Every structure is written in C-alpha cells, then in structure tokens.
Amino acid sequence: MTVALLTASGTGSRMGQDIPKQFLHVKDKPVIIYTLERFQNNPQIDAIVLVTLPNWFGFVEAYAAQFGISKLKWIVAGGETGQESIRNGLEAIAKDCPEDTTVMIHDGNRPMVDNNIISDSLAVFRQYGSAVAVIPCTEAIFRSEDGKTSTVSIPREALLRTQTPHTYTLKKLLWAHEQAKLRGITNQAASCTLMHELGETVYFSRGSEKNFKLTTLDDLEIFNAFLDAEKKNWLK
C-alpha cells in the first residue's frame, strides 16, 4: 500500500493574504486541491492523508467532495513545527496501516508534482529503500558571511536542490521521528535532512523545475501561467 502524506498546515504569512496560501483560489480552485488531484489521479497512490489547520477541516471535507478526492482517508491537525506535523500524519497512518506501508511525503503547496516525479520516486524507493526528489543547481553559487561580499565559490556540479516527495517505509519514518524525540531534534521539517542527521544515506529521484513551492505572490503568478500553458497543450 502506498500513502501520500501531504503537509498543508502553514499559515502562509509570506503571502500576506487573509487566508493560508494552500486555500487561496487559482482559477476558481484552491491550491491544495490541485495538489490532491495529482495524487488522486495517480494509480500508484492508494490513499492520502492531509495534515492541515484544524479550522479548515470542514472546508477540506467540502472541497474533497466537490472535486472527487475519494482517496483522502485522513485529515490531521498540524503541529507547532513541520517536523511535528509530519509525525502527526504518520501516527494517523500507523493506526490503520502496517509498518511496511510506503509513505510519500509531499508539500501541499507544490501543486505541479506530476506522474513522472511520483513514478521515479517510487522506482528509486523500491531499489534503495528511500527516495528524495532533487534538481540540479544551474546558477553560480557563492558563500557569504555578511550577505554582501564573498571570496568563496562553490562548484554547482556538486550541488543538488531538494524538493518533495520524500518516500520511505512507514516503519523507517516512525523510527526517525522516535530517534529525533530521543535526541532532542525538534525542527527538521524535511525528512531527508532528518534522515541525514540520523546518519542515513539519502538516495535521489528526479524532481522538476515545475515542481516548485508556492511561497510568494510571484509564485502564484507563475503557477497561474503554468496552468494556462497546460491547458493550451491539451487543446492542441
């Protein structure tokens, strides 16, 4: 069984809007629904858990019914940190699913994740036991101590930018969060950095520049443009 765990419990303060970014409407549809639809429509995903804000549970249920998100099995309250939110989602899955369940953790505000990214994540996971979506660095990179100057350039060929999904077994993720609790690790929102801190090897799957995270108003405009481009391609 493969479960998608979508995190969408942030307040979206950097957007400067009256409602959280995951519930902002783009072309008459909430952002979170676009993300949910990507996993709903992928045949390799069996169920979805959404970790979000408790005050929005009713809206999520209504949206799921309206847009046919039948795979949404759990709606869970987020925690004080991203790490805690993920743990809450894992504990909800663990109540109903065996430890060998495959869990694909994904940011709810990455609505452009596609079937190729999902499929490659699962393929790498099946080969190595874990998978983290990444894309290469294409810009020149400098390290700066003051944010104004630098004398240190870092070769971009050695750098990768992580995205989501992050795919592991439920057992492995529960182990990692239990270890984090024992060691006092409290704010590792990315499962890959938590695993790295625990000494685990990180294996990479293919991400995409389109699989970007909606953080600012500029990102919303880019997302809107991508939707227009997808529609035009479909019409041709």
Side-chain angles (χ1 to χ4, degrees):
M1 183 177 188
T2 301
V3 178
L5 191 165
L6 306 186
T7 56
S9 57
T11 57
S13 57
R14 282 176 284 184
M15 283 278 187
Q17 302 301 299
D18 293 331
I19 66 175
K21 59 191 171 186
Q22 59 270 34
F23 297 109
L24 290 173
H25 281 234
V26 178
K27 296 189 183 298
D28 299 320
K29 187 187 295 185
V31 167
I32 191 60
I33 291 297
Y34 285 101
T35 311
L36 285 163
E37 285 178 333
R38 298 288 178 146
F39 292 93
Q40 172 70 30
N41 296 329
N42 187 290
Q44 298 179 92
I45 302 299
D46 300 302
I48 302 169
V49 54
L50 179 66
V51 184
T52 191
L53 303 164
N55 290 343
W56 287 85
F57 281 14
F59 290 95
V60 170
E61 291 170 352
Y63 289 143
Q66 179 183 355
F67 293 99
I69 311 298
S70 61
K71 292 181 182 178
L72 182 59
K73 304 302 183 185
W74 307 271
I75 304 174
V76 180
E80 294 296 320
T81 65
Q83 179 180 319
E84 187 178 335
S85 292
I86 291 172
R87 178 166 184 149
N88 290 353
L90 294 171
E91 289 176 349
I93 297 170
K95 291 178 181 177
D96 298 315
C97 301
E99 286 189 331
D100 63 353
T101 297
T102 302
V103 179
M104 181 174 288
I105 301 172
H106 186 68
D107 298 321
N109 58 339
R110 290 186 190 268
M112 294 292 292
V113 62
D114 61 26
N115 286 332
N116 290 330
I117 294 171
I118 293 171
S119 294
D120 196 63
S121 182
L122 289 171
V124 172
F125 163 77
R126 292 185 188 112
Q127 184 173 2
Y128 298 108
S130 66
V132 174
V134 298
I135 55 176
C137 255
T138 56
E139 298 87 358
I141 304 293
F142 284 84
R143 188 177 70 200
S144 175
E145 300 299 329
D146 60 7
K148 298 177 182 179
T149 62
S150 175
T151 59
V152 180
S153 176
I154 303 173
R156 62 189 176 190
E157 295 80 11
L159 299 178
L160 294 169
R161 294 155 53 200
T162 64
Q163 301 181 326
T164 59
H166 301 165
T167 304
Y168 294 87
T169 62
L170 175 60
K171 180 179 181 180
K172 190 70 173 183
L173 288 164
L174 289 171
W175 167 84
H177 282 266
E178 184 60 29
Q179 287 296 309
K181 185 177 180 180
L182 292 173
R183 302 187 193 189
I185 303 169
T186 59
N187 197 21
Q188 289 287 2
S191 297
C192 59
T193 57
L194 174 57
M195 290 292 185
H196 177 263
E197 190 160 345
L198 295 174
E200 297 293 309
T201 300
V202 179
Y203 293 94
F204 301 126
S205 60
R206 289 194 304 270
S208 168
E209 291 286 356
K210 286 186 178 181
N211 184 34
F212 65 98
K213 195 173 184 179
L214 301 187
T215 304
T216 67
L217 289 176
D218 287 345
D219 296 330
L220 279 179
E221 292 182 13
I222 295 169
F223 177 46
N224 192 75
F226 272 129
L227 292 175
D228 285 339
E230 283 192 338
K231 184 176 181 181
K232 289 176 184 177
N233 288 337
W234 176 78
L235 286 173
K236 292 178 181 178

